[in-house]
Amino acid sequence: MRPFDYLRPKSAEEAIEMKARLGKKASFLAGGTDLLVKLKEDAVRPEALIDLSFIESLKEIREADGTVAIGSLASYADIGSSPLIERFGYILRQGALEIGAPQIQNAATIGGNIANASPAADGIPPIYALGAHITLVGKEGRRVVAVEDFFTGPGKTVLKEDELIIEIGFPKMMEQDKGFFKKIGQRKALAISKASVAAVLHIANGKIEEARVALGAVAPTVIRCPKTETLLKGRKISGSLIEEAAKSVSSESMAIGDVRSTPEYRDYVIGVLFERGMRNIFSDILP
Amino acid sequence: MEIGVKLYGEFKKYAPKDDDRISLDNGGTVAQALRSLGLNDRDLSYAMVLVNNIRVKFDRHLQDGDRMDIFQPIGGGAEKLYRYVGKPVPRIDARDKVTGRTKYSTDLSFPGMLWAKVKRSEYPHANILKLDVEKARKLPGVEAVLTADDIPGHNGFGIITPNWPVLCRDRVMYMGDAIALVAAVDEETAERACELIEVEYEELPVVTSPEEAMREDAPQLHEKGNIMHTMELRKGDVEKGLEEADVITEGEYSTQFMDHAFIEPPGGVGIYDEEEGILTIWCGSQYAFRDQLQIARAMNWDPRKIRVIGSPTGGAFGGKDEITVQIHLALLAYHTKKPVKLWWTREETLIVNSKRHPMKTKFKIGATKDGRFTAIDVDVTADTGPHDTIGAPILNLALESSPGPYQYPHSHFKGRSVYTNNAIGGEFRGFGAPQVVWGVEQEIAKLAGKLGIDPIEIRKRNALKLGDISSLGHTMQTSVGVTETLEAAENSDLWRNREKIIRELNKKHPGKLHGVGMASEWHAVGLGVGIPDFANIDLEIHPDGKIVLKTGAIEIGQGNITAYAQMLAEALEIDMERIEVAHGDTFKTPDSGSVTASRSVLVNGNAIIDGADKIKKRAILEAATILVEDPNNLVYEEGAVRSKSDAEKIVSIENIAEVCCRRNKPLQDVGANIMAISDKDFGDGLPHNYYTFITQVALVGVDLKTGQVDVLRAVSAPEMGKAINIHGVEGQCEGGVVMGQGYALYEDLKMEKGQVLTSNFTTYIIPTAVDAPDIETIIVEVPEKTGPYGAKGVGEAPTVPITPAIMNAVNNAAGIRINDLPITPEKVINALKAEKR
Ligand SMILES: Cc1cc2nc3c(=O)[nH]c(=O)nc-3n(C[C@H](O)[C@H](O)[C@H](O)COP(=O)(O)OP(=O)(O)OC[C@H]3O[C@@H](n4cnc5c(N)ncnc54)[C@H](O)[C@@H]3O)c2cc1C
């Protein structure tokens, strides 16, 4: 590891000001669970770290007219134990509890997970499925970006050099909404996803009115499944619909092979995950 | 009244002189009779008494003319009651380890200490055209940059053939090869200096597999060619044996590179004391005395001026028997004259350190209709990487282990270990056995299936027994518990109730199929014929009552020093708390050989008993002068020497020690043991004379849609002669199961064109606590009379058959077989698809 300066801003404004001043030379530090690994491997060489972890205001999870807003510094342990998330965004809770292991969840933040922009990040498919927006603040002001527009490639986002992720907001899941997050890794804990899937379905009159399905680890970024979503729209839940949709999910997966798995397996198993998730949430109406 | 008495075993010493009767007051009890004979409390705690051929309690009243038989229950019957041996004893090093008080060598720090880094190869195979270290030397804070030119002695190390370069001069042969060493004021500066070292390479073709290496046009990695070692063994006529078979099974199996994944990556500290001319190296190690010699050879030094302290080591599993940091530390400490610390990163460990060899093995086994094996033919090819280390004996042990603990009238074993530019194949718990047992135990399962015989039954029918001629042709001279471990596994809850357990789980988890599988193994203990296999210990009795045991054996986490303390406490009949064990230091302890080959309890244990016997004899002689008594009338008992006839005459060993000290002849002695060897010599260290036998059972769940395999329960039934520490054996079995599960399901050091693709623990996957199954250990004892208290060894076997047991369980669940490790979900799904077709 190389030496670096360590800065500790007390507010978001101060953090942004520091970053604007130092530019590329500085990195924000949240839980450090991605950044420290990269520092150790010499994959990044910042001259200064701006430690966000003392900015309490960025750790809040709150609700405001129909939406839930999660401060970017909220840890996955915070998210996993938040009653608001459990009630209005439980698929994110499911994701939070599958990140690494408890020690990692205590340190890892949602902002860091998003900024790191791994296609295998377990916090990202749930916020796609929830239809989230990400609030960014930089020297030039505040902007709100739809989650789909935020990621541009593996490790790549639209975040500008001086911008800080402030919060992640999403419309509350209502009683008619059902959803799930499922992942598969190389072992039961401390496992990066080989494939993951999140879905939110809005149900009215026994039919799927709207569906949002997001896949992780099978494309350069987390992706939505437009064909599957269209296929589900307006349909009544049935075993055969789920099977058909699972096949469609597999066909929309665009996995590559690496040390963790093969493209064939990923494309295949993501359909299995989807099918299992659907069968779980509709177990009351399915035979 | 008159009572007839007969004493057996060690109790014979209490027999009344020239008589077989004693007189006792009327109405006396058995206890009173025993006391009057001279039996003490300890004897009473385990003596067994028959009165007129009926076993009785000691409060039984005797009648005139009764006959008493007084036994010390040993051997075949009930067992001798020991105070420490065979008990679950907490580890003597546990408290300091769990509280963090123990200092491992990598925890050490000294004023003015420098940090070292190793400049390593950037190609798996290349000529070094130019090496320029000037820029690195000039970097402020750098105190030394060393290259091959700075090595005073032999530029190489290796347990068998020292051809692993300390620092490469003109060629690198794998990604872990070292080129230069840096010592600097801190770790960061040392890293920067490594970056400033300029190496000009000429890339050479990379040999990525034994198959490729054995092609005629393959680039030759060594002068003698690409085949490092071959071995062939034969008994009878394998062709004839196969002709006699009613069924023949055949299969080809392959295994991956596996990393030891010990907690403490190799590291340590070196200090050169200029005044005394002594070099001290603290390092993770399995054999400080061999390290000392390997350092001396490279430094061209007198080994007596090199002190290596290897204890305690934070896990080794075979991965620290070879040199890691020792010579580099010696060179840097000597050159800088300052304390130097070198500690490999995890990535470095995964790339540089030796691994379990990948092997490809072909089996052909014949059996008659009633399930008797007629012949076995085995062919093994090992990938040994670029340097020798201990690859040859590993191939040999693979051959020895490959038939399993069974009778075969005819056999043929052939193997070769081949150089490549991959990771280094080296020592790893199991020493060649896991790779072949993976195959043979599947082949036997297949045979059992073909013949419609229960898998445990077929093994029992062929199980080796004491006195049998083995499949290799040597005599089974020491305790053989194959049948006993098979029976223990057969009687386990998991095996007996497997059908019910499987049925219930299948019902509870639709989409999953469950299965139970088993496998067995014999695992050689000790180094084998022709290889010096000895231990020395020192014993000191201090006047303050402390008893010091010194052994060169290193504590690598396996709990050996606790077992030593138990055996010594037992031998000297004293409280274990009085014993202090010094271990693993070439200046402070005697050479006890390497902690390897499951040998350290067996060979050190015998040395301890030898030492204790000498101390007891000497104590009696000294006591004779103190008590003014004929030594023949003195006995050693419970840490004291007493007169047989005068209860008043007694002196404790600490008091004897005090007198000895005053007389300037401290009460101390040495103990030694040389391991007994086989009746045959097949050359190259084969065969062995002692074996651990073990049967393991696994319960798995197979997810038919994702292909994931979960190991839910595991049973180990090891036969290690005698369990010295119950906790120790359980610990070895539990750790062994999880390690074998990792080998079965997750662990894979993936290589591509000589590059390691899984060089940290995000990609090199080992099981976590939530992956580990519930583990049951059933200890099976068939005491070995030449072992200390009947013990052999148990360090390696528990990690071996569990891997094929898991596969046999997957087969039992889902009908598939996978021949190449690990059993990944990807392979399971493909196999399930093929099975459907
Ligand atoms: C052992 C282990 C297991 C893991 N397992 C999983 C897993 O199962 N699933 C998973 O998804 N991830 C996993 N991770 C990855 C990691 O924990 C997560 O991605 C985590 O959410 C990152 O958050 P952090 O707070 O630690 O980010 P940091 O490491 O502090 O930062 C990551 C990046 O984000 C930037 N950043 C952080 N906060 C902000 C902000 N507010 N605004 C702008 N930029 C910011 C930083 O500058 C840095 O570039 C694992 C990591 C480890 C070490």
Side-chain angles (χ1 to χ4, degrees):
Chain A
M1 208 186 280
R2 282 159 203 276
F4 49 77
D5 291 334
Y6 173 80
L7 308 173
R8 187 190 281 182
K10 288 188 194 63
S11 65
E13 295 70 40
E14 200 187 342
I16 294 159
E17 188 269 317
M18 283 173 173
K19 186 76 168 80
R21 183 159 42 85
L22 294 165
K24 266 203 175 60
K25 288 186 200 157
S27 280
F28 288 129
L29 170 70
T33 59
D34 278 319
L35 189 58
L36 282 165
V37 177
K38 289 184 187 166
L39 283 175
K40 228 184 99 203
E41 289 173 349
D42 217 14
V44 292
R45 299 180 175 187
E47 288 170 27
L49 294 188
I50 304 169
D51 187 352
L52 305 173
S53 52
F54 293 81
I55 309 176
E56 292 302 319
S57 62
L58 290 182
K59 296 180 184 171
E60 260 177 75
I61 302 174
R62 59 195 165 78
E63 59 177 323
D65 26 284
T67 64
V68 175
I70 305 173
S72 59
L73 264 287
S75 73
Y76 277 115
D78 296 338
I79 292 170
S81 59
S82 154
L84 269 181
I85 305 283
E86 188 174 0
R87 179 140 176 239
F88 299 119
Y90 59 82
I91 67 165
L92 181 57
R93 179 172 184 270
Q94 291 171 356
L97 298 178
E98 293 233 28
I99 305 239
Q103 295 98 316
I104 295 294
Q105 290 158 21
N106 285 336
T109 66
I110 187 166
N113 201 213
I114 291 172
N116 189 59
S118 160
D122 295 320
I124 300 178
I127 62 171
Y128 265 72
L130 288 165
H133 286 78
I134 300 172
T135 305
L136 314 171
V137 176
K139 223 173 37 181
E140 278 157 27
R142 163 185 293 256
R143 57 182 180 134
V144 179
V145 183
V147 67
E148 268 111 304
D149 300 330
F150 184 78
F151 301 98
T152 54
K156 294 204 177 77
T157 69
V158 301
L159 199 65
K160 290 191 194 131
E161 216 164 271
D162 64 332
E163 274 180 325
L164 177 69
I165 301 174
I166 294 289
E167 67 180 26
I168 294 89
F170 59 85
K172 288 178 180 170
M173 282 175 82
M174 301 315 258
E175 247 154 64
Q176 321 73 302
D177 292 334
K178 281 179 177 277
F180 62 85
F181 170 79
K182 286 225 172 269
K183 87 177 226 187
I184 189 165
Q186 282 170 290
R187 63 186 162 200
K188 287 185 194 152
L190 285 168
I192 304 295
S193 289
K194 287 179 179 179
S196 67
V197 54
V200 172
L201 306 149
H202 187 72
I203 314 289
N205 308 322
K207 281 187 185 154
I208 301 171
E209 202 157 71
E210 204 200 331
R212 273 194 307 271
V213 180
L215 311 182
V218 292
T221 65
V222 170
I223 51 168
R224 288 269 296 270
C225 294
K227 279 192 214 141
T228 310
E229 291 174 5
T230 312
L231 183 150
L232 289 168
K233 199 168 169 158
R235 300 277 290 274
K236 242 183 101 184
I237 298 297
S238 70
S240 62
L241 176 69
I242 292 173
E243 273 167 37
E244 196 186 338
K247 283 212 181 82
S248 166
V249 163
S250 282
S251 75
E252 290 190 87
S253 166
M254 306 181 290
I256 55 165
D258 60 16
V259 291
R260 296 200 171 90
S261 190
T262 61
E264 298 78 27
Y265 181 78
R266 286 186 157 119
D267 288 344
Y268 156 78
V269 86
I270 204 158
V272 175
L273 295 181
F274 177 80
E275 185 175 339
R276 289 205 170 151
M278 292 291 276
R279 286 193 186 274
N280 276 351
I281 57 174
F282 294 114
S283 60
D284 51 337
I285 52 174
L286 288 170
Chain B
M1 61 182 180
E2 295 271 296
I3 308 289
V5 291
K6 191 156 187 201
L7 293 119
Y8 298 84
E10 278 182 27
F11 291 163
K12 271 189 195 144
K13 64 184 175 194
Y14 297 122
K17 280 211 177 73
D18 320 314
D19 201 2
D20 55 359
R21 14 194 75 241
I22 52 167
S23 45
L24 203 67
D25 291 342
N26 277 341
T29 62
V30 169
Q32 284 162 346
L34 295 175
R35 296 263 180 218
S36 82
L37 282 164
L39 276 75
N40 57 29
D41 285 348
R42 198 179 136 77
D43 298 327
L44 255 58
S45 72
Y46 65 90
M48 195 176 99
V49 178
L50 306 185
V51 171
N52 307 333
N53 294 330
I54 294 170
R55 187 168 181 183
V56 296
K57 290 192 181 158
F58 297 171
D59 55 5
R60 150 89 176 243
H61 293 278
L62 294 163
Q63 287 173 10
D64 190 40
D66 275 349
R67 207 186 77 114
M68 285 171 71
D69 288 285
I70 304 159
F71 293 94
Q72 179 197 33
I74 42 163
E79 150 141 13
K80 173 165 176 173
L81 280 181
Y82 293 117
R83 185 157 163 218
Y84 293 108
V85 162
K87 299 277 153 63
V89 173
R91 295 225 339 219
I92 57 178
D93 50 346
R95 183 173 292 272
D96 282 351
K97 282 185 173 169
V98 298
T99 55
R101 215 174 291 134
T102 303
K103 287 258 179 283
Y104 291 91
S105 43
T106 50
D107 292 328
L108 299 178
S109 187
F110 295 89
M113 188 174 78
L114 304 175
W115 268 91
K117 283 278 167 193
V118 183
K119 171 77 179 176
R120 300 204 182 266
S121 172
E122 287 146 283
Y123 297 94
H125 193 197
N127 285 324
I128 300 174
L129 300 181
K130 207 175 132 215
L131 174 59
D132 186 347
V133 299
E134 277 322 299
K135 279 189 196 145
R137 282 206 173 118
K138 285 194 185 117
L139 184 73
V142 171
E143 304 246 344
V145 181
L146 305 182
T147 67
D149 291 338
D150 301 300
I151 298 169
H154 174 68
N155 184 357
F157 60 90
I159 297 174
I160 305 290
T161 310
N163 65 359
W164 187 338
V166 175
L167 292 170
C168 295
R169 185 186 298 278
D170 25 60
R171 186 156 72 126
V172 287
M173 291 172 68
Y174 87 118
M175 291 304 290
D177 266 335
I179 297 171
L181 302 174
V182 172
V185 289
D186 55 35
E187 196 176 359
E188 291 72 30
T189 309
E191 266 171 28
R192 292 303 80 75
C194 275
E195 286 162 17
L196 292 173
I197 294 172
E198 292 167 332
V199 191
E200 211 177 290
Y201 298 93
E202 176 195 23
E203 279 188 72
L204 295 169
V206 180
V207 180
T208 62
S209 69
E211 293 72 32
E212 216 180 299
M214 287 187 290
R215 269 187 224 135
E216 237 158 59
D217 57 347
Q220 297 299 295
L221 299 182
H222 285 273
E223 256 167 42
K224 65 175 185 183
N226 285 347
I227 304 220
M228 180 194 64
H229 174 70
T230 57
M231 181 76 183
E232 191 163 7
L233 293 170
R234 213 184 271 281
K235 184 182 95 169
D237 179 347
V238 80
E239 292 308 322
K240 187 167 153 259
L242 288 170
E243 269 166 34
E244 283 164 12
D246 297 314
V247 284
I248 288 174
T249 177
E250 258 180 286
E252 211 175 319
Y253 295 83
S254 66
T255 64
Q256 73 279 42
F257 276 111
M258 184 182 190
D259 184 73
H260 308 82
F262 33 60
I263 274 188
E264 184 191 32
V269 178
I271 293 186
Y272 176 57
D273 178 339
E274 250 180 301
E275 248 161 61
E276 302 281 331
I278 301 279
L279 196 50
T280 303
I281 309 288
W282 288 264
C283 57
S285 171
Q286 289 176 239
Y287 191 10
F289 287 85
R290 197 201 295 110
D291 294 351
Q292 180 190 42
L293 294 179
Q294 295 221 57
I295 296 168
R297 181 170 56 196
M299 300 287 291
N300 205 9
W301 263 41
D302 179 352
R304 284 167 299 186
K305 302 258 170 198
I306 300 168
R307 179 177 180 192
V308 179
I309 303 166
S311 258
T313 282
F317 305 107
K320 292 175 186 166
D321 209 19
E322 187 56 277
I323 288 293
T324 57
V325 297
Q326 293 86 333
I327 300 174
H328 290 166
L329 278 174
L331 286 166
L332 287 169
Y334 177 66
H335 275 267
T336 61
K337 317 273 185 274
K338 288 184 182 168
V340 184
K341 182 172 197 163
L342 174 56
W343 192 3
W344 291 1
T345 62
R346 184 60 68 181
E347 289 76 7
E348 216 171 3
T349 308
L350 278 150
I351 294 167
V352 179
N353 206 40
S354 59
K355 302 280 170 281
R356 184 180 281 169
H357 288 77
M359 291 189 191
K360 287 205 165 68
T361 310
K362 291 182 199 153
F363 287 97
K364 204 170 188 181
I365 304 175
T368 58
K369 275 200 284 284
D370 61 349
R372 305 219 178 258
F373 301 156
T374 59
I376 183 164
D377 197 351
V378 183
D379 184 278
V380 183
T381 303
D383 180 350
T384 207
H387 311 305
D388 286 32
T389 174
I390 193 165
I394 292 171
L395 177 78
N396 295 344
L397 196 76
L399 296 189
E400 179 170 339
S401 307
S402 67
Y406 314 111
Q407 285 274 15
Y408 302 83
H410 305 280
S411 65
H412 176 226
F413 309 95
K414 191 171 180 187
R416 58 209 69 72
S417 197
V418 185
Y419 292 120
T420 68
N421 297 116
N422 287 333
I424 299 217
E427 185 171 325
F428 195 132
R429 188 183 195 182
F431 211 81
Q435 294 95 317
V436 293
V437 173
W438 163 242
V440 73
E441 288 295 308
Q442 290 200 58
E443 285 305 311
I444 290 173
K446 277 162 63 180
L447 262 182
K450 276 188 192 176
L451 292 166
I453 302 174
D454 172 87
I456 291 188
E457 176 55 30
I458 196 169
R459 288 168 170 90
K460 282 207 280 194
R461 279 186 204 173
N462 295 282
L464 284 171
K465 309 223 164 31
L466 185 67
D468 278 357
I469 302 299
S470 78
S471 48
L472 296 103
H474 66 310
T475 310
M476 301 304 292
Q477 308 187 115
T478 61
S479 85
V480 180
V482 190
T483 309
E484 288 83 348
T485 78
L486 287 164
E487 280 170 355
E490 198 170 27
N491 289 326
S492 67
D493 169 64
L494 179 56
W495 188 262
R496 259 186 301 123
N497 300 315
R498 62 191 187 283
E499 278 169 19
K500 182 163 160 260
I501 292 168
I502 291 168
R503 214 181 315 119
E504 280 169 10
L505 283 167
N506 285 348
K507 212 166 123 198
K508 200 163 144 206
H509 304 283
K512 277 191 184 179
L513 285 178
H514 296 80
V516 171
M518 55 75 59
S520 219
E521 192 222 5
W522 60 337
H523 200 93
V525 174
L527 305 177
V529 178
I531 304 171
D533 200 351
F534 60 89
N536 299 295
I537 59 105
D538 289 348
L539 271 183
E540 297 169 4
I541 314 297
H542 292 210
D544 62 1
K546 195 165 75 182
I547 289 162
V548 177
L549 163 65
K550 295 178 176 174
T551 164
I554 293 174
E555 216 297 316
I556 57 172
Q558 78 279 54
N560 53 346
I561 58 170
T562 305
Y564 301 159
Q566 284 174 270
M567 293 189 283
L568 181 57
E570 202 69 60
L572 291 178
E573 304 172 35
I574 46 133
D575 288 344
M576 209 177 131
E577 291 69 41
R578 289 171 62 179
I579 296 171
E580 201 176 284
V581 186
H583 41 105
D585 181 336
T586 58
F587 275 22
K588 295 272 172 80
T589 63
D591 187 352
S592 312
S594 179
V595 284
T596 187
S598 310
R599 69 187 281 283
S600 106
V601 159
L602 172 52
V603 71
N604 277 280
N606 279 335
I608 287 166
I609 291 172
D610 178 52
D613 284 346
K614 288 178 187 156
I615 290 279
K616 289 193 261 186
K617 282 198 189 109
R618 164 99 194 277
I620 287 175
L621 291 178
E622 300 290 349
T625 69
I626 301 167
L627 299 172
V628 196
E629 179 87 6
D630 177 0
N632 292 322
N633 196 38
L634 292 175
V635 284
Y636 179 94
E637 241 178 42
E638 295 185 31
V641 176
R642 68 165 180 84
S643 158
K644 289 182 197 167
S645 50
D646 182 350
E648 300 286 293
K649 284 194 171 177
I650 182 160
V651 58
S652 68
I653 43 169
E654 56 269 29
N655 289 343
I656 300 172
E658 197 177 340
V659 174
C660 290
C661 275
R662 263 191 271 120
R663 292 172 182 169
N664 252 332
K665 274 173 65 200
L667 184 54
Q668 61 189 40
D669 217 319
V670 297
N673 181 243
I674 295 177
M675 183 106 53
I677 55 169
S678 170
D679 63 331
K680 288 274 158 41
D681 182 355
F682 304 136
D684 274 333
L686 291 192
H688 291 76
N689 189 38
Y690 296 90
Y691 296 87
T692 317
F693 299 93
I694 184 166
T695 301
Q696 290 177 307
V697 185
L699 167 69
V700 304
V702 182
D703 188 319
L704 296 176
K705 285 243 167 120
T706 64
Q708 285 167 304
V709 174
D710 286 342
V711 184
L712 305 172
R713 280 174 71 178
V715 177
S716 300
E719 186 274 290
M720 74 315 286
K722 168 90 192 155
I724 300 295
N725 188 354
I726 301 286
H727 284 328
V729 174
E730 287 168 348
Q732 290 299 321
C733 286
E734 288 164 20
V737 162
V738 177
M739 193 176 234
Q741 175 195 12
Y743 195 41
L745 301 181
Y746 312 113
E747 300 187 40
D748 191 359
L749 192 91
K750 288 191 176 150
M751 309 269 337
E752 195 178 277
K753 297 201 181 86
Q755 304 277 350
V756 176
L757 302 181
T758 51
S759 62
N760 58 44
F761 283 164
T762 352
T763 46
Y764 185 86
I765 304 293
I766 57 176
T768 67
V770 287
D771 300 295
D774 288 337
I775 304 169
E776 183 190 355
T777 301
I778 304 169
I779 292 177
V780 180
E781 295 182 333
V782 181
E784 163 48 36
K785 58 184 185 307
T786 64
Y789 300 98
K792 296 183 290 186
V794 76
E796 297 171 275
T799 199
V800 182
I802 187 67
T803 307
I806 289 170
M807 188 63 232
N808 287 339
V810 170
N811 177 264
N812 178 243
I816 55 168
R817 279 214 178 273
I818 287 161
N819 293 359
D820 56 325
L821 279 174
I823 312 163
T824 61
E826 288 77 3
K827 291 180 198 167
V828 170
I829 287 296
N830 288 340
L832 286 169
K833 278 185 193 152
E835 174 80 7
K836 250 188 232 153
R837 259 186 252 125

